Amino acid sequence: MTDFQCRQCGVCCKQPGFVYLASGDAERLAAYLKMDIYSFTQAYCLLQDRRYLALKKNQDESCLFLKSKGCSAYDARPAQCREFPLRWKTEKSLKYCEGLKPR
Ligand code: SF4
Ligand code: SF4
């Protein structure tokens, strides 16, 4: 798919599940937020299965970085976010993502 256009609805940032951090994601986000890596991981990350770093979420499942105008860390967002939905998507995302719906 080459004509995908994100509608900036933010629905993908409110889904159950986790945004896992790939190599370099935590360092990039920490630098963007002008935090040291330790403070960043304490504030924004949790450890899944004792070895995978993921972003913490709000109680309603939304991402801590999701604000009224969209992702507040957009330029430094994790690879998992950058790659959605062109490199990966789910059956559910085909239903909720406005940008994936036929026009
Ligand atoms: S759900 Fe789709 S259209 Fe909405 S913000 Fe996410 S990628 Fe963009
Ligand atoms: S980091 Fe940004 S793009 Fe990724 S889930 Fe959170 S709000 Fe959405």
Side-chain angles (χ1 to χ4, degrees), residues 40 50-51:
F40 170 76
R50 294 204 266 177
R51 55 189 176 136

Side-chain angles (χ1 to χ4, degrees), residues 7-76:
R7 310 290 171 86
Q8 310 286 323
C9 66
V11 177
C12 55
C13 309
K14 302 175 187 168
Q15 294 302 309
F18 291 96
V19 174
Y20 290 97
L21 299 186
S23 174
D25 282 346
E27 290 80 1
R28 188 175 58 254
L29 279 160
Y32 183 79
L33 298 170
K34 298 185 172 39
M35 296 172 82
D36 63 73
I37 192 73
Y38 178 77
S39 304
F40 170 76
T41 52
Q42 287 292 306
Y44 290 104
C45 301
L46 45 80
L47 200 58
Q48 290 286 89
D49 297 333
R50 294 204 266 177
R51 55 189 176 136
Y52 300 112
L53 269 188
L55 291 182
K56 284 182 183 171
K57 309 185 83 175
N58 294 305
Q59 281 201 334
D60 65 359
E61 296 275 8
S62 62
C63 178
L64 292 185
F65 290 112
L66 183 62
K67 304 297 178 201
S68 58
K69 290 186 177 169
C71 178
S72 59
Y74 189 81
D75 289 344

